[in-house]
Amino acid sequence: MKKEPIILPADPMDDEDFAVSAEGMKRGRRARLIRQTRNNLGLSQAEFAQRFRVPVGTLRDWEQARVTAPDFAIAYVQVIARHPDMVAEALN
């Protein structure tokens, strides 16, 4: 396994901090976008998942940055952020 270069080193004064790779930073940014979109709509994970037909386990993995959300998912979330009612209506 190839080790990724670190772009944000761990804070040596913080025992709970850790170094972050470029891929980890990308995952984190995507997770934040998804979580903020859901929170801005005032929906729980279960509600968001049901309304926009995303498996709740997948949503949870994306929000917790366990898995990198693919490009199509990020595009979908960006559309949801701008037009949530229109997307929900199109899915019904």
Side-chain angles (χ1 to χ4, degrees):
M1 183 174 181
K2 189 172 139 182
K3 191 167 185 174
E4 291 187 55
I6 300 301
I7 62 168
L8 182 63
D11 180 351
M13 303 303 285
D14 183 350
D15 292 339
E16 295 182 24
D17 197 22
F18 55 91
V20 179
S21 66
E23 179 60 28
M25 187 68 81
K26 177 181 175 182
R27 244 187 347 265
R29 285 188 178 127
R30 287 174 176 234
R32 178 182 289 163
L33 169 73
I34 295 165
R35 191 174 50 255
Q36 286 177 336
T37 298
R38 180 180 59 75
N39 285 334
N40 289 344
L41 294 173
L43 299 173
S44 69
Q45 286 180 336
E47 291 166 335
F48 186 94
Q50 182 178 10
R51 184 171 186 193
F52 299 111
R53 297 191 187 169
V54 177
V56 73
T58 300
L59 178 64
R60 192 174 298 120
D61 285 346
W62 290 345
E63 284 194 9
Q64 294 175 359
R66 281 189 230 141
V67 175
T68 303
D71 292 343
F72 78 85
I74 295 303
Y76 184 46
V77 169
Q78 289 172 330
V79 172
I80 290 169
R82 290 184 182 98
H83 307 286
D85 294 332
M86 190 184 314
V87 174
E89 183 179 328
L91 292 171
N92 286 327

